[in-house]
Amino acid sequence: RQAEMSVKEIEEWGTGEGILKWQKCFDCGQGFHGPVHLALGWACWKTYLGRPETSRLRLIGLAVLGGSFVLIGRSAEALPVLEANLALARRYWSKGDILIAQTNLSGCLDLVGRHAEALVLTREIYVGFLATYGISDERTITSGLTLAGTLWYQKHREEARLLVRDTLLPAARRSLGSDDDVTLKLDQLSANILRLTDRPTRDDLLEAET
């Protein structure tokens, strides 16, 4: 009930924390866990199920339910929910909403072992962020970081190295700054890629240390 009222505050008065109240405690601010998280995910979806398909709360309700399944380790059950969420986003919502739904689905595909499909979708997501927001946007750089990590994990190592070195790191340092968390993660990924290259050159090893 508190979560419903918080969403109502957002809708009617522009105050409150909105949909986040389905995901964290109203009093202490901590995220819910386990069966409680899933129960609230179902409650969120049932609350907004009666809304029109064009209602953003219906879209978010599906995402919250799918995320609840993922967070308690039931990714196979999350998959059809997140697929439905993406289908709904594609029917009625903006490119940004579609990209968020795709991001949620790609992570779930990876968790259920469908790695090749996850990589295809992760590439599509990065291209979508790049076309929509440009390379200097944090969302694009973060999406690129996810893609680079996936490429490395799936042994597309040269592609991962070039993406980080030639595109993502320069953009992150220029737009976010050298001390930003995303930039630091890219630095770490770049160093790991260079160190773990099959036949690293002396220049590779020197670059990994800088």
Side-chain angles (χ1 to χ4, degrees), residues 134-154:
I135 189 58
S136 298
D137 190 276
E138 183 174 0
R139 290 165 290 188
T140 303
I141 298 169
T142 301
S143 174
L145 171 61
T146 301
L147 174 57
T150 303
L151 288 167
W152 174 255
Y153 178 77
Q154 296 195 28

Side-chain angles (χ1 to χ4, degrees), residues 17-80:
E17 295 187 45
I19 206 76
L20 292 176
K21 289 298 185 181
W22 292 103
Q23 300 172 299
K24 66 179 184 178
C25 175
F26 191 90
D27 297 314
C28 72
Q30 298 296 308
F32 294 116
H33 302 283
V36 173
H37 197 290
L38 181 58
L40 284 167
W42 275 115
C44 178
W45 169 235
K46 290 176 181 177
T47 297
Y48 304 120
L49 174 60
R51 299 281 183 114
E53 286 197 340
T54 52
S55 167
R56 180 172 293 276
L57 288 174
R58 184 183 175 102
L59 179 72
I60 294 174
L62 267 175
V64 169
L65 176 58
S68 298
F69 275 119
V70 169
L71 286 172
I72 66 166
R74 291 164 61 176
S75 299
E77 292 168 84
L79 193 59

